[in-house]
Amino acid sequence: MYADVILPLSLAQTYTYSVPEEYVGQLQEGQRVEVQFSKNKHYAGIIRRLHGKAPGFKTKPILSVIDVEPLLTARQLKLWDWLAEYYGCTLGEVMTAGLPSHLKMASETIITLGPLFSDEVTELSEDEYLVVEALTLQAELSLKDIRDILQRKTVYPVIRNLLDRHVVFPKEEFTDRYKALSVKCVRFGPDFQTEAQQASAFDLVSRSERQTAVLLEYVQYHRTQPYVRRTDLCKRTGASTGDLRAMVKKGIFEFYDREVSRLSTDGEAAADVKPLSAQQERALAEIRQHQADGKPTLLHGVTSSGKTRVYVELMQEAIAAGKQVLYLLPEIALTGQIIKRLQHVLGDKIMVYHSRLNDMERVEIWKAVQTGKTSVVGPRSALFLPFTTLDLVVVDEEHDPSYKQHDPNPRYNGRDVAMYLAQQHGASAILGSATPSLESWENARSGKYGLVTMTERHGGTALPEIVIANSRETNEKGIHHPFFTPTLLTALRETLERGEQAILFQNRRGFAPVYFCPTCEYTVECVNCDVSLTYHKYQHRLRCHCCGYVATPPELCPACGEPQMKLSGTGTEKIEDELKIFLPEARVARMDLDTTRGKNALGKLLDQFEVGELDILVGTQMVTKGLDFERVGLVGVISADQLLRFPDFRADERAFQLMTQVAGRAGRRGRRGQVIIQAHEGSHPVITDVVSGDYANFIEREAGNRQQHAFPPYRRMIRLQLRHTKRATAEDAARLLAKWLAHSLGDQLEGPFEPSVARLRTYYLQDMVVRFPPAATQMKRVKTLIQRCIDKLAQTKGMSGVRVVVDVDPY
Ligand SMILES: Nc1ncnc2c1ncn2[C@@H]1O[C@H](COP(=O)(O)OP(=O)(O)OP(=O)(O)O)[C@@H](O)[C@H]1O
Ligand SMILES: [Zn+2]
């Protein structure tokens, strides 16, 4: 008997091993087994198939069985198959993306003793004991070391047991594992424990209306909530922390820190949700109709129309029926308010899966999901969890480009995989956005999806007023500023005077994207990539935004020796910097990749903005995503032209989405918000549609353009990228491959050509693009052809080192 095993490698789909007599009858698909790969390398692989067909080579035996029960469900294996097939990658690459590293073990995996380990952990087997003893002496060991220590070939089952019992840990996740999050809460002080004492507290505060209100609210709120957070109490009564402190001084209250798990709300009771508005009721009824017809729904609701409340209603229902829900979000939106809102109403029934979790937390969620009782909110990686009773899949902000994984394989689109997953489970699916992607809009138009629209903002607030400021505008002295028009500055001042907040959007981080010599026009470029280095003022460094290369800015021009290097272009850092000159009093913070790298940095920033410790938030596209703040009165788009100039067939769509989304952050409650878009080309049709909020007009024109120029979704698209460290080899390979492909594809093939960044991380790049009609048979034909040609290239003399990256739906 033989087993085809998936290994975390990108060579072949599976690797065949023989099943030793002792394991026959024990093995199942989806189980992990330990196998030897090369001479010295062991892996935990996953059984994909068991069969009796001997391969044409001598097989190695399976060394040990790691799992008693399969780790992967049959559905997951099918999903993996589909991903590998559709996106043209290996199952091993899917495995690498889909399994928490805790569950992948390989010879080089390093383990250490867990910090909670004490000698009291008994019931260690003899082998386990040996490992633990070695670890107390040596701090860390690789699985290979352990094989030597135990003097046996197979150590994975031993390690698995130790991992499961948290005696040992894979090393990578040692950082901040036990840092529990805590929240400040309020409770009665020791002298106010009885009802009589509590009644007397009212006398103590009778002179202060505010404190009386706080006390009253506390008593009532505490009836429904096991814990009362300080911030909640302040919010509900309008009291300040100072008011509460005064009451602590009187001994009535005391503050305490309550630890909360980062994974769940720790059994906190779910709160009641607000009743649905008429618009939400109607949307819900329509969604149910589409569900009954077995169709996914596209929920197109303007910004702040209250789409989340609609999802929550459906999620509650599914969860109450004992089923699972998967709520997908773009990664960046995950830190914030939406999580709080979901947990507020769904309590510990929903867990948050995101990239900032450590591996142990991931495994914890994996196991919880496997029981079929836990629902999940997460980014695209949550699609790989072992759902068993999935009933509803929500894809929020479905238009968001970050659903696509660009690198490495599998280069999948989370939204599209979500649709497959939903279908696989017979779950209903909802895609939501204020600016639906053209693909989804087209699916709705063709009747494949049901369409539900919400045109009003919740609470009847008007959509913000959008005005265009000409970038060339000068002030009263005739002076022109490169990125602050007088219109924007005036509006900023007025906003702050009203006590409101502002958001400024510029899609470029750093201080200035170009550092050049005005004398000879030399531009400092990355040594690894064909891009100019971005100047970061705060660190006084030049950085490559493609590969991370860092350099000190040269004082003299490296080409001509002139000492007057200059900066050009505008990044978020520069905007933040210059704001200090125009608005010295304003409290400004920046939100981009550079300021949000730390584990909790982003959450902290958003909290500060929420409670009003900041006046202006300057940021990249991060600030456009799903933020819901009460007091944002103004949104400024620093340069619309920059968004529209992007060299991509989706540039217009992206620009429309970004501007509409960021505009939607303004005036979400109460006063109507204001949006200022700075542009040279203010009459660009995309800007006109953003200003009038005319999605229909925009999308119909966009659909027409794409149809006319044969772009997705009216054509399928596959991009091939060849990479090699020698330019000539990359070019030769590209020419060869293109010749073979063109033979069958004719003018469906474009290229080869150099992409706009022609060298990346020391590799020279050559691109080609295949566009073809969307029939499924075509897809199969093209992919088979591509694979054949790539195989042929690999066998061509001198070309074996050329890497070919296949990207299906590369957008
Ligand atoms: N039924 C309701 N009762 C009370 N408040 C509501 C209700 N529905 C929505 N809201 C409030 O309206 C605001 C906007 O809702 P929400 O954030 O869900 O909008 P959205 O459609 O997701 O917007 P965006 O696409 O801009 O993210 C939120 O502050 C939310 O709390
Ligand atoms: Zn670089």
Side-chain angles (χ1 to χ4, degrees), residues 526-531 533 544-549 760-761:
C526 176
V527 296
N528 305 318
C529 315
D530 264 4
V531 294
L533 293 177
C544 173
H545 287 183
C546 291
C547 75
Y549 173 78
L760 189 69
R761 305 190 168 122

Short mmCIF file of all heavy atoms in Angstrom, two decimals, residues 526-531 533 544-549 760-761, ligand 2:
data_model
loop_
_atom_site.label_atom_id
_atom_site.label_comp_id
_atom_site.label_asym_id
_atom_site.label_seq_id
_atom_site.Cartn_x
_atom_site.Cartn_y
_atom_site.Cartn_z
N CYS A 526 17.66 51.77 -5.50
CA CYS A 526 17.96 50.60 -4.69
C CYS A 526 19.02 49.76 -5.39
O CYS A 526 19.06 49.70 -6.61
CB CYS A 526 16.68 49.78 -4.51
SG CYS A 526 16.95 48.24 -3.64
N VAL A 527 19.88 49.12 -4.61
CA VAL A 527 20.89 48.27 -5.23
C VAL A 527 20.28 46.95 -5.72
O VAL A 527 20.83 46.28 -6.58
CB VAL A 527 22.06 47.94 -4.26
CG1 VAL A 527 22.81 49.20 -3.88
CG2 VAL A 527 21.53 47.24 -3.02
N ASN A 528 19.13 46.60 -5.17
CA ASN A 528 18.52 45.32 -5.54
C ASN A 528 17.38 45.45 -6.54
O ASN A 528 17.00 44.49 -7.19
CB ASN A 528 17.93 44.63 -4.30
CG ASN A 528 18.95 44.45 -3.21
OD1 ASN A 528 20.09 44.09 -3.49
ND2 ASN A 528 18.56 44.72 -1.98
N CYS A 529 16.78 46.65 -6.58
CA CYS A 529 15.57 46.82 -7.39
C CYS A 529 15.71 48.06 -8.27
O CYS A 529 16.49 48.95 -7.97
CB CYS A 529 14.33 47.02 -6.51
SG CYS A 529 14.22 45.89 -5.12
N ASP A 530 14.91 48.09 -9.33
CA ASP A 530 14.90 49.27 -10.20
C ASP A 530 13.90 50.30 -9.70
O ASP A 530 12.97 50.66 -10.42
CB ASP A 530 14.48 48.84 -11.61
CG ASP A 530 15.70 48.59 -12.47
OD1 ASP A 530 16.82 48.68 -11.94
OD2 ASP A 530 15.53 48.33 -13.67
N VAL A 531 14.05 50.78 -8.51
CA VAL A 531 13.16 51.83 -8.02
C VAL A 531 13.98 52.85 -7.25
O VAL A 531 15.05 52.53 -6.72
CB VAL A 531 12.05 51.29 -7.07
CG1 VAL A 531 11.10 50.39 -7.81
CG2 VAL A 531 12.66 50.57 -5.89
N LEU A 533 14.92 55.24 -4.19
CA LEU A 533 14.77 55.05 -2.74
C LEU A 533 13.96 56.20 -2.15
O LEU A 533 14.10 57.35 -2.58
CB LEU A 533 16.14 54.97 -2.07
CG LEU A 533 16.99 53.75 -2.44
CD1 LEU A 533 18.35 53.83 -1.77
CD2 LEU A 533 16.28 52.47 -2.01
N CYS A 544 14.13 51.26 0.43
CA CYS A 544 13.46 50.70 -0.74
C CYS A 544 12.12 50.12 -0.27
O CYS A 544 12.08 49.30 0.64
CB CYS A 544 14.30 49.59 -1.35
SG CYS A 544 13.42 48.73 -2.66
N HIS A 545 11.04 50.55 -0.90
CA HIS A 545 9.73 50.04 -0.50
C HIS A 545 9.41 48.69 -1.14
O HIS A 545 8.36 48.13 -0.90
CB HIS A 545 8.65 51.08 -0.81
CG HIS A 545 8.70 52.25 0.13
ND1 HIS A 545 7.80 53.28 0.09
CD2 HIS A 545 9.54 52.53 1.15
CE1 HIS A 545 8.10 54.16 1.03
NE2 HIS A 545 9.16 53.73 1.68
N CYS A 546 10.32 48.22 -1.99
CA CYS A 546 10.10 46.89 -2.57
C CYS A 546 10.80 45.80 -1.79
O CYS A 546 10.26 44.73 -1.58
CB CYS A 546 10.60 46.85 -4.02
SG CYS A 546 9.61 47.84 -5.12
N CYS A 547 12.04 46.04 -1.37
CA CYS A 547 12.80 44.96 -0.73
C CYS A 547 13.27 45.30 0.67
O CYS A 547 13.83 44.45 1.36
CB CYS A 547 14.00 44.58 -1.59
SG CYS A 547 15.34 45.77 -1.50
N GLY A 548 13.06 46.54 1.11
CA GLY A 548 13.45 46.89 2.46
C GLY A 548 14.90 47.36 2.60
O GLY A 548 15.35 47.67 3.70
N TYR A 549 15.63 47.43 1.49
CA TYR A 549 17.02 47.90 1.53
C TYR A 549 17.09 49.30 2.16
O TYR A 549 16.25 50.16 1.88
CB TYR A 549 17.59 47.92 0.11
CG TYR A 549 18.96 48.55 0.00
CD1 TYR A 549 20.12 47.86 0.37
CD2 TYR A 549 19.10 49.86 -0.48
CE1 TYR A 549 21.36 48.44 0.27
CE2 TYR A 549 20.34 50.45 -0.59
CZ TYR A 549 21.48 49.74 -0.20
OH TYR A 549 22.70 50.33 -0.30
N LEU A 760 13.77 43.35 -9.31
CA LEU A 760 13.20 43.30 -7.98
C LEU A 760 14.00 42.31 -7.14
O LEU A 760 14.16 41.15 -7.53
CB LEU A 760 11.74 42.84 -8.09
CG LEU A 760 10.90 42.92 -6.83
CD1 LEU A 760 10.65 44.36 -6.43
CD2 LEU A 760 9.56 42.21 -7.06
N ARG A 761 14.49 42.76 -6.01
CA ARG A 761 15.26 41.88 -5.12
C ARG A 761 16.35 41.13 -5.88
O ARG A 761 16.44 39.90 -5.78
CB ARG A 761 14.35 40.88 -4.43
CG ARG A 761 13.24 41.53 -3.70
CD ARG A 761 12.50 40.57 -2.83
NE ARG A 761 11.65 41.32 -1.97
CZ ARG A 761 10.34 41.20 -1.88
NH1 ARG A 761 9.72 40.28 -2.57
NH2 ARG A 761 9.63 41.95 -1.10
ZN ZN B 2 14.95 47.22 -3.29
#
